[in-house]
Amino acid sequence: MTYFGDANIWLPFVFAALMGVSILIYVVLDGFDLGIGVLFPLANDDEKDRMIASIGPFWDANETWLVLSVGLLLVAFPSAHGAILTALYLPVAIMLIGLILRGVAFEFRAKAPAPHKRLWNNAFFTGSLMTSLSQGFMLGMYVMGLEWSWINVAFAMLTALFLTVGYSFIGATWIIHKTSEALQIKAVDWAKGGIWGLILGIGAISLATPFVSARIFDKWFSWPEAMYLAPLPVLSALLVFWLWSMLHKMPYAGDRRSWQPFAAATALWVAAFAGMAYSFYPYVVPEKITIYEAASAPESLFIILIGTCIVLPTIIGYTVLSYVIFRGKATELRYD
């Protein structure tokens, strides 16, 4: 098959890139609304309603990116899908239970009588916490090569905690952007604490990654390969400094530039993800299966690519449309 060169090379790379971008978009978009759920116990009842209003138009569509990334993994890299899902069966199951609990609680809290609303608020927090912790655990296990050992599980539990705090941080920056007055000020304080969890999480993964394999170690510390990675830690340090400076000056007069903490937090997530992608490429299962070994037949991938070229712009379109239509501050939450 000779579509624009060797299809055995460029098609797996294209699908790996699409899957990676889908995961990144999911982590940022669903990360902030999961983080808002994790922050629920720190807010009063009126603030919880305003926090829900800030994510109400977006949270369901945000999860579409998770479905897309898992779907791409299944159809484009079926053997990798089997290996990853088999190794992570338990945390995946916990994540799905958390997502279901979260979705049900989101809808039921709107209709529940006042005495029962607290129950569904707690369920929303629990579902958000379960989802965040399970995703962090899966990240840690993936970094450590999907091998179950006491050391790897301990590291995965650490990344579960850090990712959850990282989600709460980006959730706080979203609240800063979408709310005002007392809740916004409270969110600034939440962000000041949460940023340390994100920094520690990125640091822990950065320290562990080069020791996963000699290949990754050489990528990080051999010349000239190290030069490709060098801009990322510098950029990350600058973003952290910028975030810290902004948070200590907020809120700005007239609520100017309230979007900047969320934008800077997103850029920090992108830099961290780029570092992981650089480190693990070309492996889709760390040090076991490359994207080229796991890829479906080129003929299948080419047909799937045609469908992706239709589906992906649709998802991007309605995602952008929802954020444009519901831009600005979250208004009072009403269901009448």
Side-chain angles (χ1 to χ4, degrees), residues 1 9 21 74 129 166 170 195 215 227 229 240 244 258 264 318 321:
M1 190 177 191
I9 300 298
V21 170
L74 173 62
L129 186 64
I170 197 171
I195 192 173
R215 181 190 63 84
M227 290 300 297
L229 186 67
V240 168
W244 187 252
S258 65
Y318 72 65
L321 183 63

Side-chain angles (χ1 to χ4, degrees), residues 86-212:
T86 299
L88 300 177
Y89 183 86
L90 180 59
V92 167
I94 294 173
M95 180 187 72
L96 293 175
I97 293 171
L99 288 172
I100 293 170
L101 183 61
R102 209 173 107 86
V104 171
F106 192 98
E107 301 297 336
F108 274 52
R109 72 179 299 281
K111 303 296 183 182
H116 297 162
K117 190 173 182 179
R118 183 177 179 182
L119 168 66
W120 293 111
N121 283 339
N122 291 336
F124 185 72
F125 162 71
T126 302
S128 300
L129 186 64
M130 289 173 62
T131 303
S132 301
L133 288 172
S134 59
Q135 289 180 3
F137 186 88
M138 287 188 283
L139 173 62
M141 290 298 295
Y142 183 85
V143 169
M144 300 306 289
L146 302 176
E147 296 289 342
W148 285 80
S149 67
W150 289 111
I151 294 177
N152 291 356
V153 169
F155 177 79
M157 292 175 68
L158 191 65
T159 57
L161 176 62
F162 287 149
L163 184 72
T164 300
V165 177
Y167 278 168
S168 72
F169 166 70
I170 197 171
T173 63
W174 179 256
I175 297 172
I176 292 171
H177 172 49
K178 296 294 287 185
T179 64
S180 58
E181 300 174 346
L183 180 55
Q184 186 185 60
I185 294 172
K186 188 178 285 190
V188 170
D189 290 333
W190 294 340
K192 288 177 183 177
I195 192 173
W196 293 108
L198 182 59
I199 293 170
L200 290 172
I202 293 174
I205 292 173
S206 298
L207 287 173
T209 299
F211 296 100
V212 171

Side-chain angles (χ1 to χ4, degrees), residues 217-304:
F217 188 92
D218 290 339
K219 261 190 170 184
W220 278 46
F221 300 110
S222 297
W223 185 268
E225 288 82 358
M227 290 300 297
Y228 302 134
L229 186 67
L232 293 178
V234 174
L235 175 62
S236 298
L238 291 173
L239 287 168
V240 168
F241 177 77
W242 185 32
L243 273 164
W244 187 252
S245 299
M246 279 191 292
L247 292 173
H248 280 77
K249 295 176 183 176
M250 297 192 80
Y252 293 113
D255 199 32
R256 295 177 296 110
R257 296 178 287 172
S258 65
W259 57 271
Q260 287 185 347
F262 180 75
T266 299
L268 191 57
W269 282 100
V270 172
F273 188 87
M276 279 195 61
Y278 170 79
S279 299
F280 287 100
Y281 176 81
Y283 286 88
V284 63
V285 178
E287 307 311 309
K288 294 179 181 177
I289 306 176
T290 68
I291 59 174
Y292 306 106
E293 294 168 341
S296 298
E299 293 80 5
S300 299
L301 289 178
F302 193 79
I303 294 172
I304 297 167

